Each structure stands twice: as structure tokens, then as C-alpha cells.
Amino acid sequence: MDDTCAFSQTGLFFFIYVYYSAMYNQKKIRNFCIVAHIDHGKSTLSDRLIEKTKAVAERLQRTQMTDNMDIERERGITIKSQAVTISYTAKNGEQYQLNFVDTPGHVDFSYEVSRAIASCEGAILIVDATQGVESQTLSNMYLALEHDLTILPVINKIDLPAADIEAVKHQIDNELGLDSDTAIAVSAKTGQNIEALFEAIVRQFPPPEGNPDGELKALIFDCHYDVYRGVVVHVRVFEGCIKAGMTVRFMNSKSEYKVEETGIFVLDLIKNDGLQAGEVGYIIAGVKTVSDVAVGDTVTDAASPCETPLKGFKEVKPVVFSSIYPIDTNDYEELRDAFERLKLNDASLTYEKDSSIALGNGFRCGFLGLLHLEIVQERLEREFDQYVIFTSPSVRYLLTLQSGETIVCDNPADYPDPGTIVRAQEPYIRASIITPTTYLGNMMSLCLEKRGVQKDMHYLDEKRVELIYEMPLAEVLFDFYDRLKSLSRGYTSFDYEVIGMQDTDLVKIDILINGEPVDALSQLSFRASARDKALHVCEKLKEEIPRQLFKIAIQGAIGSQIIARETVSPLRKDVLAKCYGGDITRKRKLLEKQKEGKKRLKMVGNVELPQSAFLAVLKAKNE
């Protein structure tokens, strides 16, 4: 939440008056989240819920109101979960407080989805009327079932000509195992049937439980940084209450803070007198950085703490690693400041100092996935005006040495002597691919090429099939997703989860320019794939390196063994131009003299790699 809402400048919220006129009534509270596959209409549905309850003045409404970053609105994706509290008056005249969380749809941010689910009693599971049930739909449903949530299926986009409501209902019955009779068919774009959805929410979702007078127990499901007030912690209170002035303890970090303010979300922060059992809101307690707050941690009263924390806490661990360097080495200090400010808003980003002979000083960063890496790159460029070079993304390998020591390696620069390595392991994923049967052969060939092992396959209906594969995470990092979409014309969906480590035959590929290794282009690879990767880098470098007066050898090597080579032809002066005739020995003498000169030049000449060469190679790997 970067620009903590454009609405805060006016504060014209109809909801404020409604909320404060209603007394706290736990039976009239409904907490739910909105989950779905990518691009099934979560944020659009959130807009209609806000619009129908007139939570925001009509002149302040816009599309994707719960998406606060420019990148989110431009790409049409949700990166950051957003909690919203609205007030709804049902047909029976009863007034309800609805707390909902709009969640990300991409697998990189699945931990945010799991924390949002843990803070709710119900989940709206959106299914696209034109696309049907997809892989992330299944994944989110299982996540909701693990937390015993009441699931309300919603069929969205019924206004589109290609919508097939009956077919989607059949999928809800057979693939999800839910009752399609309870499914609400809506159009989030036009607002069609939204009133029926509201009634289903208050009727089907249970009210929260918990004793407002018990020991404080609240779940941190998100947080964001406010420039003026520090970290704003998003909490769901399960037991007890939180009020300004009390001292709270974060049970995982054991740190204690004095609460300065509590309140609720209506796209802006609305201050109130306190949060009680069953409510969702925020606390401001003088926390300085987002990294001091662990999402999934339990908040309790420091004076009388609860005995056990809420279940399900785990630290978010990065799975993709890359080094980042400024294009201009003089911008290192500015890049460091940019990372410090970015870290305030993105606790899942990890970074430490790194250096390269070719690129100078930079940072080694950890990301939740490739989309997270892309988002960080765009935010560095847009928000901090930093143009950077990313090295080839890598995963974290586990190496067992002859000494018995086990080390973690995610950076080719830290790769030890191969002779000392007894065993190497790499992370594996369980991938779920839902594809039309037309493209089944293409999908199986692609997974086989990426070292995938098929674990299961079952037909969802006569037209679609689900494939379950186990494959190395490293194989998914580069071109897998793009090829998946191109081979299936965009009709295949993909989801994965990391399942553990398995043995691998790991090697380090060095790239040599004129015999000198370029450390920034080194990468770790599975041995059987090493030659293809090395050839690809050599070919790209040949296109980018300017010709010199001497021949330039571009080589890929594993240790002392050369596995790939390209040559940049030299510029050549026509030394025979002055020879109009005469004996051939005269020409040979001039050519031999030129040859000797080029040999001496090659020994002392340095090849300056242009920044475009790094950008071309690394961009090509990521596409």
C-alpha cells in the first residue's frame, strides 16, 4: 500500500457515520476473503461491493479501488492483499458489518492468501464463467478447507457472450465437490445480481466466535508502511480486545509496543475506540520497519499474555535469488537507499551486499518468485528512478561437502571446489496443470523436457484434464510459463508448491571472454542442460560485443572443459591495398607482419563488455 489511498485527502466516507451509529454486535459481523485464479475478477467484485454499500462517495470511485499501486492497476493484478470494512443493511432490516480481504491471485503471493484465509470464517471462491475451474481455483479451495472455512462459490462474468454457466456449475459439482445450487451467478463488471450475493454472504457465512472479555489473541495477516506514522499492522482479533494505550506483545519476536491508535479500513484508515473479538482492523504502535512485523504472528496483551499463539505461523522464505547492480557504478549509494525504503513496504524482500569484478558493488536479493522479481525491478525504476542489471535468477541449492559440512548455495560466486562436493540437492515442486485435452501432448512433452516426473493424471470432464508433475524449481524459472501459454494458446493454467529437496547433478558454468572469466554471467545448472545454456549465452554475447582489431573468443566452460564457443571476427585493415603486383612473397610478408601484430594485441588487449550485453543475455534468459 504505497500511496495509502488517494481517498485520504478528502475523508468523505459515507460509511463512517453508519459504523459509529451501530453498537458492537458480534452476531452481525461477517469476515470473509475473496479468492480466485488470476484474472477471474476479484478486484472488480470488490469494487461492486464497495459501490453498492456506498462506502465511498460516488465522485471518488474508480476501478480497482483496492489496488493502490500503479503497477497493480496497469497489469490488472493484485500484488498486496487489501482489507475493507463495509456496512450492509439486509432485506430483513438488520445491519451487518462486513469485513473482507481482496487477495492476490498469483502463486508467488500464496502465503498472503493463506494468512488472509486464516483471518476469516468464510471465503468467496470466484470461478470465471468463460474459463471455468483452473489450477489456482483448486489450490485456494483446498487452502480454505484446511482452515474449515465456509466456501461460497460465485460464477463471475456472466455478461460475456462466451459465458457457460451450466458447464461451470457442473465443474463446481464434480471438480470442486461443492454444491452448485448455492453458487451465485454475478457480473462484477455490470453489478448484475450483486444484491443476491450480499444476502448469501450474511445468510451462509457464520458470525465470528470469541470472548471480548478474554485474554487478547489477534492474528497479524498483513501490514504496510506509512511515511508519517510508521508501520500500520493489520489484525484480526480472535479473543479479547485492543485499545489505545495498552501494551501489546508480538509472540514470535517477543517485542513489545504501546498501542497509539486502533481503527478499521474503508480504503482509508478510520480511527475508532478499539477492536474487539471478531473484528478486523489496524493498530499503530510505533513500529519502525515492516521487517519488525512477522505476518502470521500473534498479538497478545503484554500484561496478561495468552498461553499459546494462534496456529499456522511460519516465516516467508524466498525461493528465487538474483544479484542486482546499478547500471552506473556511481549510483550504488542511491540504490542502497532505494532498497532500504522498498524494504519498509515489502517485508518478503531480502537483500545483502554483493560485488562483482565486472559490474562493481551491488546486492544479492531473495524473491518469492519471478513475478515478485519483476515487481521489485519495476518499483525500483518507477518509484526510485533506479535502472539496474539483474544477474541470472537462481534457486537455493544444498551442498554436502567431504568434511561432512552442509552448506546452502544460491550464488555461483560462492560455489565451492567441485572436488569437495559429495552431494548436491535442489528444490522440487509439485506442479498442477489444467489443460484442454487438445494440448495434452504438448504439455506432457514440455514437462518431460523440464525433467518433470508425472505423478497423476485425471480427466476433469470430456474436454479438460489435470496433470500432476514433480519437477525442479530451477526449470520453471526461465521460459516455462511463457512456453506453457504459447503451446496451449493461453488455455492452460499452472500452479505449484515447493515440496522439498532432491539430489541433482549440479555444475557451475563459467563464461570466458578472451580467456578471462566474467563472474556476473556465471550460473549454476543441471549438467545435462549446461551446454544449451552456455551456447545461448555465447550466441547473445557475440551479437552484443563490438568487434576489435583482434579475434575475441567467447567460451562457456565447466571447470577447465570448454563446452561452448563463439568467435567475434576481428576488424581487418587491408594491408595489401598498396601492392599492385609483384612477387607473392611480398604480400605474404605483409600478411605475416599483420598476423604477428594481432597476436601481440590479443595478449595485451582488454575487451570492454557494454552494459547492453549483460541486459541482452539476462533478459533473454528471463523471457
PDB file of all heavy atoms in Angstrom, residues 53-80:
ATOM      1  N   THR A  53     -22.627  -0.571  -1.287  1.00  0.00           N
ATOM      2  CA  THR A  53     -22.858  -0.156   0.106  1.00  0.00           C
ATOM      3  C   THR A  53     -22.560   1.324   0.308  1.00  0.00           C
ATOM      4  O   THR A  53     -22.619   1.815   1.437  1.00  0.00           O
ATOM      5  CB  THR A  53     -21.981  -0.992   1.062  1.00  0.00           C
ATOM      6  OG1 THR A  53     -20.606  -0.883   0.655  1.00  0.00           O
ATOM      7  CG2 THR A  53     -22.385  -2.456   1.054  1.00  0.00           C
ATOM      8  N   LYS A  54     -22.190   2.029  -0.770  1.00  0.00           N
ATOM      9  CA  LYS A  54     -21.891   3.458  -0.719  1.00  0.00           C
ATOM     10  C   LYS A  54     -20.856   3.775   0.363  1.00  0.00           C
ATOM     11  O   LYS A  54     -20.943   4.772   1.077  1.00  0.00           O
ATOM     12  CB  LYS A  54     -23.172   4.264  -0.481  1.00  0.00           C
ATOM     13  CG  LYS A  54     -24.151   4.191  -1.654  1.00  0.00           C
ATOM     14  CD  LYS A  54     -25.373   5.034  -1.403  1.00  0.00           C
ATOM     15  CE  LYS A  54     -26.210   5.225  -2.651  1.00  0.00           C
ATOM     16  NZ  LYS A  54     -26.514   4.015  -3.395  1.00  0.00           N
ATOM     17  N   ALA A  55     -19.845   2.908   0.450  1.00  0.00           N
ATOM     18  CA  ALA A  55     -18.782   3.122   1.424  1.00  0.00           C
ATOM     19  C   ALA A  55     -17.901   4.298   1.042  1.00  0.00           C
ATOM     20  O   ALA A  55     -17.254   4.914   1.891  1.00  0.00           O
ATOM     21  CB  ALA A  55     -17.917   1.862   1.563  1.00  0.00           C
ATOM     22  N   VAL A  56     -17.875   4.618  -0.247  1.00  0.00           N
ATOM     23  CA  VAL A  56     -17.054   5.716  -0.753  1.00  0.00           C
ATOM     24  C   VAL A  56     -17.962   6.648  -1.546  1.00  0.00           C
ATOM     25  O   VAL A  56     -18.850   6.198  -2.272  1.00  0.00           O
ATOM     26  CB  VAL A  56     -15.913   5.183  -1.649  1.00  0.00           C
ATOM     27  CG1 VAL A  56     -15.120   6.329  -2.244  1.00  0.00           C
ATOM     28  CG2 VAL A  56     -15.001   4.263  -0.869  1.00  0.00           C
ATOM     29  N   ALA A  57     -17.762   7.936  -1.398  1.00  0.00           N
ATOM     30  CA  ALA A  57     -18.539   8.914  -2.148  1.00  0.00           C
ATOM     31  C   ALA A  57     -18.447   8.623  -3.641  1.00  0.00           C
ATOM     32  O   ALA A  57     -17.388   8.255  -4.154  1.00  0.00           O
ATOM     33  CB  ALA A  57     -18.027  10.322  -1.856  1.00  0.00           C
ATOM     34  N   GLU A  58     -19.545   8.781  -4.347  1.00  0.00           N
ATOM     35  CA  GLU A  58     -19.638   8.383  -5.748  1.00  0.00           C
ATOM     36  C   GLU A  58     -18.593   9.072  -6.613  1.00  0.00           C
ATOM     37  O   GLU A  58     -18.006   8.465  -7.503  1.00  0.00           O
ATOM     38  CB  GLU A  58     -21.044   8.700  -6.268  1.00  0.00           C
ATOM     39  CG  GLU A  58     -21.308   8.151  -7.668  1.00  0.00           C
ATOM     40  CD  GLU A  58     -22.742   8.358  -8.105  1.00  0.00           C
ATOM     41  OE1 GLU A  58     -23.598   8.636  -7.236  1.00  0.00           O
ATOM     42  OE2 GLU A  58     -22.990   8.261  -9.315  1.00  0.00           O
ATOM     43  N   ARG A  59     -18.324  10.337  -6.330  1.00  0.00           N
ATOM     44  CA  ARG A  59     -17.362  11.062  -7.169  1.00  0.00           C
ATOM     45  C   ARG A  59     -15.920  10.601  -6.945  1.00  0.00           C
ATOM     46  O   ARG A  59     -15.031  10.930  -7.728  1.00  0.00           O
ATOM     47  CB  ARG A  59     -17.467  12.571  -6.913  1.00  0.00           C
ATOM     48  CG  ARG A  59     -17.021  13.016  -5.547  1.00  0.00           C
ATOM     49  CD  ARG A  59     -17.276  14.505  -5.341  1.00  0.00           C
ATOM     50  NE  ARG A  59     -16.791  14.980  -4.066  1.00  0.00           N
ATOM     51  CZ  ARG A  59     -15.544  15.344  -3.841  1.00  0.00           C
ATOM     52  NH1 ARG A  59     -14.659  15.273  -4.812  1.00  0.00           N
ATOM     53  NH2 ARG A  59     -15.182  15.782  -2.652  1.00  0.00           N
ATOM     54  N   LEU A  60     -15.680   9.835  -5.861  1.00  0.00           N
ATOM     55  CA  LEU A  60     -14.326   9.352  -5.574  1.00  0.00           C
ATOM     56  C   LEU A  60     -14.098   7.931  -6.063  1.00  0.00           C
ATOM     57  O   LEU A  60     -12.991   7.403  -5.953  1.00  0.00           O
ATOM     58  CB  LEU A  60     -14.052   9.406  -4.066  1.00  0.00           C
ATOM     59  CG  LEU A  60     -14.037  10.798  -3.436  1.00  0.00           C
ATOM     60  CD1 LEU A  60     -13.902  10.698  -1.929  1.00  0.00           C
ATOM     61  CD2 LEU A  60     -12.910  11.634  -4.018  1.00  0.00           C
ATOM     62  N   GLN A  61     -15.120   7.307  -6.608  1.00  0.00           N
ATOM     63  CA  GLN A  61     -14.991   5.924  -7.033  1.00  0.00           C
ATOM     64  C   GLN A  61     -14.197   5.817  -8.331  1.00  0.00           C
ATOM     65  O   GLN A  61     -14.281   6.683  -9.193  1.00  0.00           O
ATOM     66  CB  GLN A  61     -16.384   5.295  -7.203  1.00  0.00           C
ATOM     67  CG  GLN A  61     -17.111   5.105  -5.883  1.00  0.00           C
ATOM     68  CD  GLN A  61     -18.531   4.612  -6.079  1.00  0.00           C
ATOM     69  OE1 GLN A  61     -18.977   4.412  -7.204  1.00  0.00           O
ATOM     70  NE2 GLN A  61     -19.246   4.434  -4.982  1.00  0.00           N
ATOM     71  N   ARG A  62     -13.439   4.725  -8.420  1.00  0.00           N
ATOM     72  CA  ARG A  62     -12.676   4.421  -9.633  1.00  0.00           C
ATOM     73  C   ARG A  62     -12.558   2.907  -9.721  1.00  0.00           C
ATOM     74  O   ARG A  62     -12.949   2.192  -8.800  1.00  0.00           O
ATOM     75  CB  ARG A  62     -11.272   5.054  -9.573  1.00  0.00           C
ATOM     76  CG  ARG A  62     -10.479   4.664  -8.336  1.00  0.00           C
ATOM     77  CD  ARG A  62      -9.045   5.142  -8.441  1.00  0.00           C
ATOM     78  NE  ARG A  62      -8.314   5.011  -7.203  1.00  0.00           N
ATOM     79  CZ  ARG A  62      -7.816   3.877  -6.726  1.00  0.00           C
ATOM     80  NH1 ARG A  62      -8.005   2.761  -7.362  1.00  0.00           N
ATOM     81  NH2 ARG A  62      -7.143   3.850  -5.582  1.00  0.00           N
ATOM     82  N   THR A  63     -12.018   2.422 -10.826  1.00  0.00           N
ATOM     83  CA  THR A  63     -11.841   0.981 -10.969  1.00  0.00           C
ATOM     84  C   THR A  63     -10.657   0.515 -10.124  1.00  0.00           C
ATOM     85  O   THR A  63      -9.731   1.276  -9.856  1.00  0.00           O
ATOM     86  CB  THR A  63     -11.585   0.596 -12.439  1.00  0.00           C
ATOM     87  OG1 THR A  63     -10.436   1.309 -12.910  1.00  0.00           O
ATOM     88  CG2 THR A  63     -12.793   0.957 -13.292  1.00  0.00           C
ATOM     89  N   GLN A  64     -10.706  -0.748  -9.707  1.00  0.00           N
ATOM     90  CA  GLN A  64      -9.651  -1.356  -8.881  1.00  0.00           C
ATOM     91  C   GLN A  64      -9.348  -0.503  -7.646  1.00  0.00           C
ATOM     92  O   GLN A  64      -8.204  -0.129  -7.397  1.00  0.00           O
ATOM     93  CB  GLN A  64      -8.380  -1.574  -9.703  1.00  0.00           C
ATOM     94  CG  GLN A  64      -8.518  -2.664 -10.764  1.00  0.00           C
ATOM     95  CD  GLN A  64      -7.236  -2.844 -11.558  1.00  0.00           C
ATOM     96  OE1 GLN A  64      -7.096  -2.306 -12.658  1.00  0.00           O
ATOM     97  NE2 GLN A  64      -6.303  -3.588 -11.024  1.00  0.00           N
ATOM     98  N   MET A  65     -10.376  -0.206  -6.883  1.00  0.00           N
ATOM     99  CA  MET A  65     -10.200   0.646  -5.712  1.00  0.00           C
ATOM    100  C   MET A  65      -9.313   0.001  -4.643  1.00  0.00           C
ATOM    101  O   MET A  65      -8.680   0.696  -3.861  1.00  0.00           O
ATOM    102  CB  MET A  65     -11.563   1.005  -5.113  1.00  0.00           C
ATOM    103  CG  MET A  65     -12.301   2.059  -5.917  1.00  0.00           C
ATOM    104  SD  MET A  65     -13.797   2.659  -5.101  1.00  0.00           S
ATOM    105  CE  MET A  65     -14.911   1.310  -5.439  1.00  0.00           C
ATOM    106  N   THR A  66      -9.270  -1.323  -4.611  1.00  0.00           N
ATOM    107  CA  THR A  66      -8.447  -1.992  -3.603  1.00  0.00           C
ATOM    108  C   THR A  66      -6.995  -2.164  -4.045  1.00  0.00           C
ATOM    109  O   THR A  66      -6.172  -2.635  -3.274  1.00  0.00           O
ATOM    110  CB  THR A  66      -9.035  -3.373  -3.254  1.00  0.00           C
ATOM    111  OG1 THR A  66      -9.185  -4.132  -4.459  1.00  0.00           O
ATOM    112  CG2 THR A  66     -10.387  -3.225  -2.562  1.00  0.00           C
ATOM    113  N   ASP A  67      -6.691  -1.807  -5.307  1.00  0.00           N
ATOM    114  CA  ASP A  67      -5.304  -1.862  -5.794  1.00  0.00           C
ATOM    115  C   ASP A  67      -4.725  -0.457  -5.746  1.00  0.00           C
ATOM    116  O   ASP A  67      -5.185   0.439  -6.456  1.00  0.00           O
ATOM    117  CB  ASP A  67      -5.250  -2.403  -7.228  1.00  0.00           C
ATOM    118  CG  ASP A  67      -5.663  -3.867  -7.300  1.00  0.00           C
ATOM    119  OD1 ASP A  67      -5.571  -4.546  -6.272  1.00  0.00           O
ATOM    120  OD2 ASP A  67      -6.080  -4.316  -8.384  1.00  0.00           O
ATOM    121  N   ASN A  68      -3.700  -0.272  -4.921  1.00  0.00           N
ATOM    122  CA  ASN A  68      -3.182   1.064  -4.670  1.00  0.00           C
ATOM    123  C   ASN A  68      -1.929   1.418  -5.463  1.00  0.00           C
ATOM    124  O   ASN A  68      -1.570   2.576  -5.560  1.00  0.00           O
ATOM    125  CB  ASN A  68      -2.881   1.227  -3.183  1.00  0.00           C
ATOM    126  CG  ASN A  68      -4.150   1.171  -2.357  1.00  0.00           C
ATOM    127  OD1 ASN A  68      -5.086   1.917  -2.596  1.00  0.00           O
ATOM    128  ND2 ASN A  68      -4.194   0.252  -1.408  1.00  0.00           N
ATOM    129  N   MET A  69      -1.247   0.400  -5.993  1.00  0.00           N
ATOM    130  CA  MET A  69      -0.029   0.672  -6.746  1.00  0.00           C
ATOM    131  C   MET A  69      -0.340   0.797  -8.237  1.00  0.00           C
ATOM    132  O   MET A  69      -1.207   0.087  -8.759  1.00  0.00           O
ATOM    133  CB  MET A  69       0.994  -0.443  -6.518  1.00  0.00           C
ATOM    134  CG  MET A  69       1.645  -0.407  -5.150  1.00  0.00           C
ATOM    135  SD  MET A  69       3.020  -1.571  -4.996  1.00  0.00           S
ATOM    136  CE  MET A  69       2.169  -3.084  -4.671  1.00  0.00           C
ATOM    137  N   ASP A  70       0.388   1.676  -8.926  1.00  0.00           N
ATOM    138  CA  ASP A  70       0.205   1.859 -10.366  1.00  0.00           C
ATOM    139  C   ASP A  70       0.435   0.554 -11.112  1.00  0.00           C
ATOM    140  O   ASP A  70      -0.251   0.250 -12.096  1.00  0.00           O
ATOM    141  CB  ASP A  70       1.164   2.927 -10.903  1.00  0.00           C
ATOM    142  CG  ASP A  70       0.805   4.321 -10.405  1.00  0.00           C
ATOM    143  OD1 ASP A  70      -0.371   4.509 -10.033  1.00  0.00           O
ATOM    144  OD2 ASP A  70       1.685   5.196 -10.383  1.00  0.00           O
ATOM    145  N   ILE A  71       1.417  -0.228 -10.654  1.00  0.00           N
ATOM    146  CA  ILE A  71       1.737  -1.493 -11.323  1.00  0.00           C
ATOM    147  C   ILE A  71       0.533  -2.426 -11.276  1.00  0.00           C
ATOM    148  O   ILE A  71       0.221  -3.110 -12.246  1.00  0.00           O
ATOM    149  CB  ILE A  71       2.951  -2.178 -10.652  1.00  0.00           C
ATOM    150  CG1 ILE A  71       4.175  -1.258 -10.697  1.00  0.00           C
ATOM    151  CG2 ILE A  71       3.270  -3.506 -11.308  1.00  0.00           C
ATOM    152  CD1 ILE A  71       5.354  -1.771  -9.906  1.00  0.00           C
ATOM    153  N   GLU A  72      -0.162  -2.459 -10.131  1.00  0.00           N
ATOM    154  CA  GLU A  72      -1.334  -3.324  -9.992  1.00  0.00           C
ATOM    155  C   GLU A  72      -2.413  -2.934 -10.996  1.00  0.00           C
ATOM    156  O   GLU A  72      -3.017  -3.789 -11.648  1.00  0.00           O
ATOM    157  CB  GLU A  72      -1.888  -3.232  -8.567  1.00  0.00           C
ATOM    158  CG  GLU A  72      -0.999  -3.855  -7.505  1.00  0.00           C
ATOM    159  CD  GLU A  72      -1.598  -3.734  -6.118  1.00  0.00           C
ATOM    160  OE1 GLU A  72      -1.988  -2.609  -5.734  1.00  0.00           O
ATOM    161  OE2 GLU A  72      -1.673  -4.753  -5.409  1.00  0.00           O
ATOM    162  N   ARG A  73      -2.673  -1.642 -11.106  1.00  0.00           N
ATOM    163  CA  ARG A  73      -3.748  -1.189 -11.989  1.00  0.00           C
ATOM    164  C   ARG A  73      -3.381  -1.393 -13.462  1.00  0.00           C
ATOM    165  O   ARG A  73      -4.227  -1.733 -14.276  1.00  0.00           O
ATOM    166  CB  ARG A  73      -4.069   0.278 -11.710  1.00  0.00           C
ATOM    167  CG  ARG A  73      -4.809   0.471 -10.386  1.00  0.00           C
ATOM    168  CD  ARG A  73      -5.381   1.871 -10.282  1.00  0.00           C
ATOM    169  NE  ARG A  73      -4.361   2.860  -9.985  1.00  0.00           N
ATOM    170  CZ  ARG A  73      -3.972   3.190  -8.757  1.00  0.00           C
ATOM    171  NH1 ARG A  73      -4.534   2.602  -7.712  1.00  0.00           N
ATOM    172  NH2 ARG A  73      -3.050   4.097  -8.554  1.00  0.00           N
ATOM    173  N   GLU A  74      -2.108  -1.175 -13.809  1.00  0.00           N
ATOM    174  CA  GLU A  74      -1.693  -1.315 -15.200  1.00  0.00           C
ATOM    175  C   GLU A  74      -1.690  -2.779 -15.644  1.00  0.00           C
ATOM    176  O   GLU A  74      -2.119  -3.108 -16.736  1.00  0.00           O
ATOM    177  CB  GLU A  74      -0.292  -0.724 -15.397  1.00  0.00           C
ATOM    178  CG  GLU A  74      -0.277   0.796 -15.357  1.00  0.00           C
ATOM    179  CD  GLU A  74       1.131   1.351 -15.398  1.00  0.00           C
ATOM    180  OE1 GLU A  74       2.050   0.580 -15.726  1.00  0.00           O
ATOM    181  OE2 GLU A  74       1.315   2.534 -15.095  1.00  0.00           O
ATOM    182  N   ARG A  75      -1.199  -3.651 -14.779  1.00  0.00           N
ATOM    183  CA  ARG A  75      -1.120  -5.070 -15.129  1.00  0.00           C
ATOM    184  C   ARG A  75      -2.431  -5.805 -14.884  1.00  0.00           C
ATOM    185  O   ARG A  75      -2.610  -6.929 -15.357  1.00  0.00           O
ATOM    186  CB  ARG A  75      -0.017  -5.753 -14.311  1.00  0.00           C
ATOM    187  CG  ARG A  75       1.384  -5.320 -14.680  1.00  0.00           C
ATOM    188  CD  ARG A  75       2.385  -6.238 -14.032  1.00  0.00           C
ATOM    189  NE  ARG A  75       3.732  -5.981 -14.475  1.00  0.00           N
ATOM    190  CZ  ARG A  75       4.687  -6.911 -14.533  1.00  0.00           C
ATOM    191  NH1 ARG A  75       4.405  -8.152 -14.192  1.00  0.00           N
ATOM    192  NH2 ARG A  75       5.896  -6.615 -14.930  1.00  0.00           N
ATOM    193  N   GLY A  76      -3.321  -5.182 -14.101  1.00  0.00           N
ATOM    194  CA  GLY A  76      -4.584  -5.837 -13.785  1.00  0.00           C
ATOM    195  C   GLY A  76      -4.423  -6.992 -12.821  1.00  0.00           C
ATOM    196  O   GLY A  76      -5.184  -7.957 -12.844  1.00  0.00           O
ATOM    197  N   ILE A  77      -3.403  -6.913 -11.953  1.00  0.00           N
ATOM    198  CA  ILE A  77      -3.174  -7.973 -10.968  1.00  0.00           C
ATOM    199  C   ILE A  77      -3.153  -7.362  -9.575  1.00  0.00           C
ATOM    200  O   ILE A  77      -2.926  -6.166  -9.416  1.00  0.00           O
ATOM    201  CB  ILE A  77      -1.831  -8.716 -11.214  1.00  0.00           C
ATOM    202  CG1 ILE A  77      -0.643  -7.726 -11.143  1.00  0.00           C
ATOM    203  CG2 ILE A  77      -1.851  -9.444 -12.540  1.00  0.00           C
ATOM    204  CD1 ILE A  77       0.710  -8.386 -11.215  1.00  0.00           C
ATOM    205  N   THR A  78      -3.410  -8.208  -8.583  1.00  0.00           N
ATOM    206  CA  THR A  78      -3.311  -7.768  -7.195  1.00  0.00           C
ATOM    207  C   THR A  78      -2.021  -8.319  -6.612  1.00  0.00           C
ATOM    208  O   THR A  78      -1.763  -9.528  -6.659  1.00  0.00           O
ATOM    209  CB  THR A  78      -4.515  -8.268  -6.371  1.00  0.00           C
ATOM    210  OG1 THR A  78      -5.708  -7.722  -6.927  1.00  0.00           O
ATOM    211  CG2 THR A  78      -4.410  -7.830  -4.921  1.00  0.00           C
ATOM    212  N   ILE A  79      -1.191  -7.428  -6.089  1.00  0.00           N
ATOM    213  CA  ILE A  79       0.084  -7.821  -5.502  1.00  0.00           C
ATOM    214  C   ILE A  79      -0.022  -7.862  -3.988  1.00  0.00           C
ATOM    215  O   ILE A  79       0.534  -8.724  -3.332  1.00  0.00           O
ATOM    216  CB  ILE A  79       1.193  -6.830  -5.938  1.00  0.00           C
ATOM    217  CG1 ILE A  79       1.360  -6.875  -7.460  1.00  0.00           C
ATOM    218  CG2 ILE A  79       2.505  -7.130  -5.238  1.00  0.00           C
ATOM    219  CD1 ILE A  79       2.182  -5.737  -8.019  1.00  0.00           C
ATOM    220  N   LYS A  80      -0.760  -6.928  -3.431  1.00  0.00           N
ATOM    221  CA  LYS A  80      -0.871  -6.773  -1.986  1.00  0.00           C
ATOM    222  C   LYS A  80      -2.320  -6.996  -1.557  1.00  0.00           C
ATOM    223  O   LYS A  80      -3.242  -6.442  -2.148  1.00  0.00           O
ATOM    224  CB  LYS A  80      -0.443  -5.348  -1.613  1.00  0.00           C
ATOM    225  CG  LYS A  80      -0.144  -5.157  -0.146  1.00  0.00           C
ATOM    226  CD  LYS A  80       1.288  -5.497   0.165  1.00  0.00           C
ATOM    227  CE  LYS A  80       1.608  -5.112   1.605  1.00  0.00           C
ATOM    228  NZ  LYS A  80       2.170  -6.178   2.378  1.00  0.00           N
TER     229      LYS A  80
END
